[in-house]
Amino acid sequence: MRLLHYLRALNAIVGRELLRFLHQRGRFVAALVRPLVWLFIFAAGFRSTLGIAVTPPYQTYILYEEYITPGLVGMILLFNGMQSSLSMVYDREMGSMRILLVAPLPRWYLLSSKLLASTCVSILQVYVFLAIAYLYDIQPPPVGYLAVLPALVLVGLMLGALGMFLSSFIKQLENFAGVMNFVIFPMFFLSTALYPLWRLQESSPLLATLARYNPFSQGVELIRFALYGQFNRYAFLYTLVTMFVFLALAIWGYNPSKGLMTRRGR
């Protein structure tokens, strides 16, 4: 196999995912409705009681809706990563992935290409959401919209790899919904997406510890700092290592000779 074959496969997988996203307009609207409801209704309702004091990367007191915007960006990446994994369960049984996984290319490359394709779709949704938030007077520095792109790619890959690993040992779509409820909601609510870590520390040190080591928390903090033109080294390293761990587990899970698919068959 030459480099041209790898590039063709990557272009085909990413292009198919983007076309699929453009043709499924309901999926696009549904991906935006969820964070916009949190931004326009939930944040407005708690604005007076959950104001955020001066804390990095912010230079002054901010309103609550400005604080949760990076968390809602993480919500888009989280839900889209899990939804992409849901499509993997279907495609693996009767869709394109059933054929793709037997292609004469390394399986790790095919899975990584699929992961990158779903991340590209998530990033498009994120920038549309940020544009709407800008009209709502949530306006980070202009350089932040460019600086946040690498953070979005890394966090999207990390969350997508987690979803891909989960899909490797789920055989039926009915079981996938139950597993997601035990993953999405704990990861989202037990994080810094909706409230800063020091508030959790005041109410429960145990919850604060769990939130601190939650990969989604570190992903949100990486996005938060990048959106305001700053770099959070700890969050970057934590997210990077977690992404490689989840990706390695997903590749192992889809390995027909060693992974979870073979164990389930036995």
Side-chain angles (χ1 to χ4, degrees), residues 62 71 83 92-93 104 107 109 129 138 140 170 180 197 206 253:
I62 60 172
Q83 187 175 7
R92 188 184 65 218
E93 299 298 329
R107 182 161 294 202
Y109 180 78
F129 169 75
I138 300 175
I170 297 175
M180 290 302 97
L197 196 61
L206 176 60

Side-chain angles (χ1 to χ4, degrees), residues 222-253:
L222 181 63
I223 294 172
R224 188 187 311 281
F225 276 76
L227 198 57
Y228 288 86
Q230 300 182 34
F231 179 68
N232 190 324
R233 180 180 299 178
Y234 176 78
F236 170 75
L237 294 176
Y238 195 99
T239 306
L240 182 65
V241 172
T242 307
M243 186 270 291
F244 279 116
V245 171
F246 288 156
L247 181 58
L249 290 173
I251 294 172
W252 173 78

